[in-house]
Structure formats: structure tokens, C-alpha cells
Amino acid sequence: MSDSIKYNLDESRLPRFWYNIAADLPTPAPPVLHPGTLAPVGPDDLAPLFPMSLILQEVAAEREIAIPEPVRDVYRQWRPSPLFRARRLERALDTPARIYYKWEGVSPAGSHKPNTAVPQAFYNREAGVTNISTETGAGQWGSSLAFAGALFGINVTVYMVRVSYDQKPYRRALMETYGARCVASPSMETASGRAVLERNANHPGSLGIAISEAVEVAAQRDDTKYALGSVLNHVLLHQTVIGIEAMEQMAMAGDDPDIVVGCTGGGSNFAGIAFPFLGAQLRGGRKRRIVAVEPAACPSLTRGRYAYDFGDTGHLTPLTKMHTLGSTFTPPGFHAGGLRYHGMAPLVSHLKELGLIEARAYQQLAVFEAGVQFARAEGILPAPEANHAVRAVIDEALECKKQGTSRVILFNLCGHGHFDMQAYIDYFAGKLKDLAYEESELAMALAGLPSVPA
Amino acid sequence: MSDSIKYNLDESRLPRFWYNIAADLPTPAPPVLHPGTLAPVGPDDLAPLFPMSLILQEVAAEREIAIPEPVRDVYRQWRPSPLFRARRLERALDTPARIYYKWEGVSPAGSHKPNTAVPQAFYNREAGVTNISTETGAGQWGSSLAFAGALFGINVTVYMVRVSYDQKPYRRALMETYGARCVASPSMETASGRAVLERNANHPGSLGIAISEAVEVAAQRDDTKYALGSVLNHVLLHQTVIGIEAMEQMAMAGDDPDIVVGCTGGGSNFAGIAFPFLGAQLRGGRKRRIVAVEPAACPSLTRGRYAYDFGDTGHLTPLTKMHTLGSTFTPPGFHAGGLRYHGMAPLVSHLKELGLIEARAYQQLAVFEAGVQFARAEGILPAPEANHAVRAVIDEALECKKQGTSRVILFNLCGHGHFDMQAYIDYFAGKLKDLAYEESELAMALAGLPSVPA
């Protein structure tokens, strides 16, 4: 019996470069626009928010961007992360498919997010920044930046969506143990927060609102920059260490994925595993199916409009062309806070428009059923976000069984669910419901999209 | 800058044998006695509780015991576990000491416990056992056996100390996600549970009571065996994979520990890291300081009596000679449930009596202070149990600084604290107190020790 086999890359194989898919795109992604002038933004427009090194990565054209040695030194603590063959899950499904997963939950914060939190903290420190403000939904990103801030001696303030702040005190405690300051959003600390609270003193918050608060603070204070945990090009860039390692590990396993799967909220863990494989294809390599999986209750890629929109609710960010549900749309409170974002990474949206990736959406009951099946077979309890990818993988594997064909499926298991146990408790107690999709609320949000000449 | 360096063993270096320290002891540990006859127990006496393969390991004399391949196949998922040089902690302490830690939190259940849960489930399945009963305090052991039970198709019932059952619903949810059944102990399901509840309907439970319940169920039912997560020789044996790997990893690092540290509740994670080093010393190798660290509120090694005592409160187990606080002693409710046990592994106690190991005890405030310092430096949030070891290591490193000497310190970081965040919240809120040690209650418990002729 050979079981659940692990493919470990030696530390000497830790990537030295991030992969920049912009270098291989058949057509470039549409430019980011200044919301006032509607002209493409330049580096100086973004300088109040980000250190210049990150802004230059945002618009970089070269295929490989060197990972600084101090960042590699921190990565070394948990990277290269393991790749597993899910043999026990395959047996449980009785499928001819061969299933592999890249396991990002081994990072100190428990997800893929430190892959970008660490370089972001590093570049900020290099630029002399002493304070970073950010937002968090489920808390994966906030705790990752708190961790990175502790390592590089930067004060981190996290605007945490209020409903998460109240429901997930343990995630908050993790951030505070790392030394970060957590603020329930909407808060009275910012004009955007106060504006929301004036309309509704009990507003549960949203990622869009928390982004407004964090951006506002950074824009107003000289000693403070802003950090975003997904969506932006440089964030997706940093996550490509996942796929670069996975390509080498799949070669170690002597296998090559026919299907690559990741869940999508803002798009960064999906991009992390998918872009290096996609880049190889764009340079003339083999075509693979690349599948983005999102929640049916926040279906930006499958049902959103591809249009210019704001990244936040308070309309403080530039305009980016992306699949959006409208920046005023508040997704319902399903149990995968990391996927409750109205928009999608512009690069992921662009690839969808080019027909280079697929997208599908699942309701949460099916998603948790898959997560429990995975936990019992593989022993790892996934984050609710990751369960979306697990659901798609199990469905693909069952389809292989039905067709009697063997395919190789690779997915990114982006984090563990140790801080999401209430969701599992609710699932077992029958309290989770599939959510009705509020077509009317969405239509209203889409009607409010900013008007940008074609 | 070279930072927090990881020493990964290749999968081919996964141990093929467990190390049995009994083969190298200068004098054998005192025999286990039948509580009725006071004669040494034989394998048949234990047969109602354990499969014969585990009983034979309990009394084995050979130095190396082969790890079955199906167990190695499961171990492979997370073993060899990483060894880290804690460079960032060293810098934070400004110490000349070189600090290393073996990180056992990478297992699916988050601690060292699966190292023995997996072989125990395997040997039970080989013996045709379909049900296992066990107890858990903090929940680390219960979730590990739940995980192992899921892999080998065995039904697991966990008697969980009631105060933990109520206070740690997320740990319970983890066990249930793996498919185990959790019962708050004391329960109405057993005579021992009912006897306790008759005296006190609101009894918070203790590990000793939960053991009684689990043992009772196994003794009475033909289809059910019992599993213990610490204390017994075969449990300590299985944990030696930790130290066997660590010895090889320290050699990779080109360093040799002067001090080896582990926290002690029942003694198994301590034995796991310490015994292979101790064995090398007993066979004529270098002498090292081996330090067991325990809670001041449950100080079996530092203040208990070395005497024959029961392993449980209901007096259903055999008598073992160990450092004990008395089987009727209920330790106060400090925040390290895994260390709230009245006794100590007989092998660890024997080594203490032989002067081969040191022991020390800490109060919980100092312990959590150390844990937070570790989390901020190394990024890993330790379990409260592990914080005891961290405290001792930091004190040793500060002593090195004071003396201006460099020593090499190795410790076992036995698990993560993701399911113990309430303890951290209480610590930050100033709600944790150092506990007064109840000398009178202890004296009473010690007075009740069974009388066994010398």
C-alpha cells in the first residue's frame, strides 16, 4: 500500500523569481484608470498608497522578477510547501482520476496569504514605512500581514469586517498575538466608516467598506501605507511561487495536470497555482483546463459584468476593469468570508474574457459536504474558501469515474479551517442554508457602475 | 541575513524503527502491578484493553522495533517533521545560545499525538477491533485518534473532560468532523461517570475520570478496545520518531544539543524528543542536560511522590510506580489541559529517580509571556502546553547571555495553539492568574495512595 504521497522540494529549489504573466499575455489587460480624469493612472498616482517598488511590480513587463533574499529567508520557514497525491481521497471516491493538491496551510498564518504579506512588509520597510493599514474579511489576510509586520518591525492596523470581528474572536486574537491592532469596520476612525455608520449604526460591514477605511487612512497619513491581500497584479505575482513549485513537484511525481483548480475570491490563490501553468501554455506548451471556483452567493466571474468599477465601497480606489457585482453590492453572509468580494483580479478577469480559463460557482452546502469528505480521507480540515476548490475537484473526479477515464487533477488547498470551526458546527447542525441569489440587489449595484467611455 | 533556517529530512530518511529505551536502562523500571493481587501484570491481564501487539510493545526488550509499512505510509504525510533554528528568537533575546526546535504541529491534528494514534489505530485494525474508546483533556489526543480512526475505519468514542467539552466546542467539532463521537465526562454512560455525578452533578471532570470511563467501556465490551495518548511505554515508544529524526537533523545543522527540553503532562512528547538522545548517552555517548518542564499547578515530577498509584480516578487501571499527585487529585483549571494529569509516565519517573533527567515547574503567566514572545519572533503560535517548554528555553538562553556562554538548546514544539485562542485572549485581558498550589488537597490525595509492600 502506498498512501497519500508527499512531494517535497528541497530547500535549494525554493524559487528565486516570481512569474509575471503580463509578459506572456496575447493582449495586455486594460489599463487602470484615475476615477477623476479617467486617464490611465501612473506610478505617482499610486505613491500615497504603496512603496514604489510594489508600484513598479504592478506594471512590470518582464517575465521573471527576482525574489529578494530577505523574503526568501522568510519563505524558507514553510516553503517549498508540500504537494500531495490524494490517494486516500481517490480510494474513497473510487475514481480513476489522479488527484494532487498543493498545501499552503503550512504557513505560520495557515494560508497562502503570507506569500505576499512577507514581500509587501519587506518592500515597505525598505521604503522606510513604519505603519501599514489593511482590511480583512475571514481574517486570513489580516493575520498574515500581522505576522509579516512582526517580522519586519512594522505596525499593522487591520480593519476587520464587523461581522467577522464579532463572530471570529479567535482569528482576531491571532492577529493581536502577532502584535497587530484590529478595528471593527465600519469604524468611527475614518470618514468612510462614519458615513456608513450614519446610515446604519449596526452595519455588519463588508470587504469593500473595510478597504475604503484602510485606503483612507493610508492616503491621509505620511507614515502609513496601504496593503491589499488580493486582486492587484503584484499580489498575484507574489503568489506564483505556489505554481512554480507545483510544476516542479508534478514533474517529480511523473505526472502532468489535465485540470488545474483554485477557488476565487479576489483571485490571488487561484492565480498563484494557475498562472505558471498558463504561462507555459501561452508560450506554446500544452493546453490544460484551468478552473476558477467561486461561491454562488458572490458569483463575480460567472455572473458579474466585465466593466470598470471601484475596488471599494467608498470609491477611493482607482477604476479597474474586472468582473464585478458592483462595488455597492454587499454579498450575503455565507461561510467563506475570504470569497465575499464584489470584484475579481483584473488579470483573472482578462484571462476569462480571453477564454483561457473556466469558471463555475457552488452553493455552500455542497461545498461543506466536500470539505468533510476531504477531511475524513486526507486528515486535513480545509478552510471554507478552499472547500470550493475541493468540491470542483471531487466533481471532476466523479465525472472521470462515470466516463471511465483517468485524468490528472491538481488543486490549490489554500488554507486550513482551524479558525472556521463554527462554520463546520453550523453545517453539522443543519444551520447552513444555500443562499438565494439576490438578483434585484445585484441589478441595482450593477446599474450604479461608474460610466467610463469604451 | 540567514534567517530561521529549516532542516528538512528527505522522505527516504523517515525512521524505519522506533527506539525502545528499555534496552539501554541501567536498571529496569519497576513492574506494573495487578491492583487485586499486587503481582506483576502479565500480557493476558491487559488483553481486554489492548490488542496483543501493543501489549508486547509495552514489555518489549529489544532496542529497535520496526514501524509497520502502513504506519510509515501515513507518517509520510507530515514526517519527517521540520527542525528549525530559531534565529529570529535568538536575535530578539540577544543571546549567544543557539536555539533549535522540532516542530510537531505540522501533523493533520496539529500536535505530536498522531505519532502514536496512527500505530494504535493500525494495530487495533489488524486485530479486528472495530471500536476504540479513549479520553481527552485539551483535545489534542482525542482529535488525533479521531483522525487515525477515520483512516483505518474504526469507530472512535472520546470521553472529553467536561470543562473542555464546554469551553472548547471547536476542538470537539474537529473530532466530529473526523467522524468521532464526543461525550462530556463525567457522563451517564458509565458506572464510573455516574458515581462521580451522584456526588457532584456539576463535576467539571478530570483526565483521571475520563480515563475511568473509557477503560470501563473497553473492559466491558468485546468489540471495543481502549487507547491511551500518553504515559504507557508503547505510547512513548511511538513518539521516539521525533528524537530519532531530530538527532539526524541536528547533525545536518552541524550542531549538537547541550540541553534538550520538552514539556511534560503524561510524558510522551518529552520522551519522544529526549529518549533517543538519552539512549545514545546510556550507550556511552555524550552527557547532555535533559529538562522536563511542567506546570506549577500540577507538579507531579517536581513535587509528587514516587509511588505506586492508579492511572485513573475510578481505580480501574493497574498500579504503576510513578511520580504522582494522587489519583484523586483534581488539578486546578489552568490553561494547558494536556498537562492536567496527576501522574507521570513510569519510564520518565524512573529516569528522574536515576538522576538522568532534570525537572522544573512554571506558573502560567510566565509561560504565556514566553509563548507570545515566541509567536512574534518565529510566527508560530504554540499550544499552551508547548509554552512551558518555550519558557524554559528562553530562560536557558537568557542565562547564556548573562554568563556570556553559547549553548545549543533543542526543544520539542509539540503543537499549535489554534484551538486554544481563548487562553491567549484571557492572557491579554489580564484574566489569567498564577494559581495557588493547594498543598492541603494534595496531601489528602497522597494520603490515599494504595498501600503496596516495598
Side-chain angles (χ1 to χ4, degrees):
Chain A
M1 182 170 85
S2 178
D3 225 321
S4 217
I5 285 180
K6 182 172 61 175
Y7 299 95
N8 256 344
L9 280 185
D10 186 75
E11 192 175 306
S12 66
R13 306 302 305 158
L14 181 69
R16 294 177 185 281
F17 299 90
W18 292 301
Y19 167 64
N20 179 16
I21 200 169
D24 292 317
L25 289 174
T27 60
V32 174
L33 304 183
H34 190 287
T37 64
L38 298 186
V41 300
D44 288 349
D45 294 314
L46 298 172
L49 296 186
F50 304 106
M52 196 47 71
S53 42
L54 288 174
I55 294 172
L56 294 178
Q57 289 184 356
E58 192 64 20
V59 296
E62 60 269 45
R63 182 173 291 132
E64 292 187 331
I65 294 178
I67 306 175
E69 279 309 311
V71 171
R72 295 182 77 239
D73 274 334
V74 178
Y75 275 177
R76 230 181 283 279
Q77 186 175 359
W78 72 94
R79 306 211 70 87
S81 69
L83 179 91
F84 290 101
R85 168 94 182 262
R87 286 190 190 270
R88 296 195 298 251
L89 179 64
E90 292 170 15
R91 276 202 297 274
L93 297 170
D94 188 24
T95 175
R98 298 198 292 285
I99 303 173
Y100 294 85
Y101 58 99
K102 180 76 167 162
W103 177 215
E104 289 294 309
V106 291
S107 81
S111 76
H112 63 292
K113 294 288 188 187
N115 295 334
T116 184
V118 171
Q120 289 196 51
F122 166 76
Y123 288 119
N124 272 285
R125 191 195 62 179
E126 291 296 287
V129 174
T130 53
N131 296 276
I132 300 180
S133 65
T134 195
E135 71 290 324
T136 202
Q140 296 274 21
W141 166 243
S143 47
S144 299
L145 194 67
F147 156 70
L151 300 193
F152 291 102
I154 294 175
N155 301 310
V156 173
T157 299
V158 182
Y159 292 89
M160 187 172 187
V161 174
R162 181 176 295 274
V163 61
S164 291
Y165 184 92
D166 291 337
Q167 287 176 358
K168 303 182 87 174
Y170 294 169
R171 181 58 87 170
R172 181 164 36 114
L174 178 61
M175 292 185 250
E176 290 170 353
T177 302
Y178 286 142
R181 188 170 77 92
C182 271
V183 181
S185 166
S187 79
M188 293 300 287
E189 294 193 359
T190 67
S192 4
R194 287 189 295 272
V196 174
L197 289 173
E198 265 168 40
R199 290 193 300 275
N200 177 359
N202 298 312
H203 198 291
S206 74
L207 219 40
I209 295 168
I211 293 175
S212 293
E213 294 207 270
V215 165
E216 180 184 327
V217 166
Q220 287 179 348
R221 296 192 196 153
D222 280 348
D223 65 352
T224 303
K225 297 284 182 196
Y226 168 69
L228 187 64
S230 190
V231 179
L232 298 178
N233 299 349
H234 70 268
V235 179
L236 276 52
L237 173 78
H238 300 156
Q239 293 295 353
T240 58
V241 287
I242 301 172
I244 293 168
E245 290 175 5
M247 287 186 85
E248 192 166 338
Q249 287 164 311
M250 288 301 304
M252 281 172 73
D255 237 336
D256 189 46
D258 301 304
I259 310 173
V260 178
V261 179
C263 65
T264 42
S268 76
N269 98 79
F270 168 77
I273 189 127
F275 282 10
F277 286 98
L278 209 42
Q281 172 183 327
L282 291 169
R283 295 191 301 277
R286 181 185 165 208
K287 179 156 171 52
R288 299 175 178 88
R289 288 177 52 210
I290 312 276
V291 182
V293 191
E294 62 183 11
C298 192
S300 55
L301 266 179
T302 51
R303 301 182 68 180
R305 188 173 303 167
Y306 187 54
Y308 272 101
D309 197 3
F310 292 96
D312 69 324
T313 305
H315 295 180
L316 301 176
T317 69
L319 294 168
T320 50
K321 193 157 187 187
M322 59 181 175
H323 289 84
T324 178
L325 301 167
S327 62
T328 60
F329 176 70
T330 300
F334 59 92
H335 275 292
L339 307 184
R340 290 180 66 241
Y341 184 62
H342 68 273
M344 181 50 59
L347 277 173
V348 173
S349 287
H350 184 56
L351 290 164
K352 173 73 165 42
E353 284 302 298
L354 292 174
L356 289 165
I357 63 170
E358 305 170 26
R360 72 176 71 166
Y362 285 108
Q363 282 284 8
Q364 64 180 347
L365 282 181
V367 156
F368 273 86
E369 183 194 24
V372 170
Q373 185 167 22
F374 184 86
R376 289 185 183 172
E378 295 293 313
I380 295 173
L381 186 124
E385 292 80 5
N387 285 344
H388 288 73
V390 174
R391 175 75 269 166
V393 167
I394 290 179
D395 284 359
E396 290 290 340
L398 292 175
E399 184 63 27
C400 285
K401 181 181 176 181
K402 206 166 117 186
Q403 297 182 1
T405 57
S406 172
R407 290 201 189 86
V408 179
I409 308 171
L410 166 67
F411 76 103
N412 193 30
L413 189 66
C414 60
H416 64 61
H418 297 169
F419 293 91
D420 302 282
M421 294 310 298
Q422 191 59 49
Y424 281 88
I425 291 174
D426 290 349
Y427 170 70
F428 285 118
K431 287 186 191 162
L432 285 198
K433 298 262 177 295
D434 284 347
L435 291 159
Y437 181 60
E438 296 294 342
E439 199 69 60
S440 56
E441 191 195 346
L442 177 71
M444 211 160 68
L446 288 177
L449 283 179
S451 105
V452 175
Chain B
M1 181 170 87
S2 179
D3 225 321
S4 217
I5 285 182
K6 181 171 62 173
Y7 298 95
N8 257 343
L9 280 186
D10 185 77
E11 192 174 308
S12 66
R13 304 302 304 156
L14 180 69
R16 296 179 183 280
F17 299 90
W18 292 301
Y19 166 65
N20 179 17
I21 200 169
D24 292 316
L25 289 175
T27 60
V32 174
L33 304 183
H34 189 287
T37 64
L38 299 187
V41 299
D44 288 348
D45 293 314
L46 298 171
L49 296 186
F50 304 106
M52 196 47 71
S53 43
L54 288 175
I55 295 171
L56 294 177
Q57 289 185 356
E58 192 65 18
V59 296
E62 61 269 44
R63 182 173 292 129
E64 292 187 330
I65 294 178
I67 306 175
E69 279 309 310
V71 171
R72 294 182 77 240
D73 274 333
V74 179
Y75 276 176
R76 229 181 284 277
Q77 186 175 1
W78 73 93
R79 306 211 70 87
S81 69
L83 178 92
F84 290 101
R85 168 95 181 260
R87 287 191 188 269
R88 296 193 299 250
L89 180 64
E90 291 169 17
R91 275 202 298 274
L93 297 170
D94 189 24
T95 176
R98 299 198 292 285
I99 303 173
Y100 293 85
Y101 57 99
K102 180 75 169 163
W103 177 217
E104 289 294 309
V106 291
S107 82
S111 77
H112 64 292
K113 295 288 189 187
N115 295 333
T116 184
V118 171
Q120 289 195 52
F122 166 76
Y123 288 119
N124 272 286
R125 192 195 62 179
E126 291 295 288
V129 175
T130 53
N131 296 277
I132 300 181
S133 66
T134 195
E135 70 290 323
T136 202
Q140 297 272 22
W141 166 243
S143 46
S144 299
L145 193 68
F147 155 69
L151 300 194
F152 291 102
I154 293 176
N155 301 312
V156 173
T157 300
V158 182
Y159 292 89
M160 188 172 187
V161 174
R162 181 176 295 274
V163 61
S164 291
Y165 184 93
D166 291 338
Q167 286 177 358
K168 302 181 87 174
Y170 294 169
R171 181 57 87 170
R172 182 165 34 115
L174 178 60
M175 291 185 250
E176 290 170 352
T177 302
Y178 286 142
R181 188 171 77 91
C182 272
V183 181
S185 166
S187 79
M188 294 300 287
E189 293 192 0
T190 67
S192 4
R194 287 189 296 271
V196 174
L197 290 172
E198 264 168 39
R199 290 193 301 276
N200 177 359
N202 298 313
H203 199 291
S206 75
L207 220 38
I209 294 168
I211 293 175
S212 294
E213 295 207 270
V215 165
E216 180 184 325
V217 167
Q220 286 179 349
R221 297 192 195 152
D222 280 347
D223 64 351
T224 304
K225 298 284 183 196
Y226 169 69
L228 188 65
S230 189
V231 177
L232 298 179
N233 299 350
H234 69 267
V235 179
L236 276 53
L237 173 77
H238 300 156
Q239 293 295 353
T240 58
V241 288
I242 301 171
I244 294 168
E245 290 175 5
M247 287 187 84
E248 191 166 339
Q249 288 164 310
M250 288 302 303
M252 282 171 72
D255 238 335
D256 188 45
D258 301 304
I259 311 174
V260 178
V261 179
C263 66
T264 42
S268 77
N269 97 78
F270 168 78
I273 189 125
F275 282 9
F277 286 97
L278 210 43
Q281 172 182 327
L282 291 169
R283 295 191 301 277
R286 179 185 170 210
K287 180 157 171 52
R288 299 176 179 89
R289 288 177 53 209
I290 312 278
V291 183
V293 191
E294 63 183 11
C298 192
S300 56
L301 267 179
T302 51
R303 301 182 68 180
R305 189 174 301 167
Y306 186 54
Y308 273 101
D309 197 3
F310 291 97
D312 69 324
T313 305
H315 296 179
L316 301 176
T317 69
L319 294 168
T320 50
K321 194 158 187 185
M322 58 181 176
H323 290 84
T324 179
L325 301 167
S327 62
T328 60
F329 177 70
T330 300
F334 59 91
H335 275 292
L339 307 184
R340 290 180 68 240
Y341 183 62
H342 68 273
M344 181 49 61
L347 277 173
V348 173
S349 288
H350 184 55
L351 290 163
K352 174 74 166 38
E353 286 303 298
L354 293 173
L356 289 165
I357 63 171
E358 305 171 28
R360 73 176 68 167
Y362 284 107
Q363 281 285 7
Q364 64 180 345
L365 282 181
V367 155
F368 274 86
E369 183 194 23
V372 170
Q373 186 168 21
F374 185 86
R376 289 184 183 173
E378 295 293 314
I380 296 174
L381 186 122
E385 292 80 6
N387 284 344
H388 288 73
V390 174
R391 175 76 269 166
V393 166
I394 289 178
D395 283 359
E396 290 289 340
L398 292 175
E399 185 60 30
C400 286
K401 181 181 178 182
K402 206 165 117 187
Q403 296 182 0
T405 58
S406 173
R407 289 200 190 88
V408 178
I409 308 171
L410 166 67
F411 75 103
N412 193 31
L413 189 65
C414 59
H416 64 61
H418 297 169
F419 292 90
D420 302 282
M421 294 312 297
Q422 192 59 50
Y424 282 88
I425 291 174
D426 291 349
Y427 170 71
F428 284 118
K431 287 186 191 162
L432 285 199
K433 298 262 178 295
D434 283 347
L435 292 158
Y437 180 61
E438 296 295 342
E439 199 70 60
S440 56
E441 191 194 347
L442 176 71
M444 211 161 65
L446 288 177
L449 284 179
S451 107
V452 174

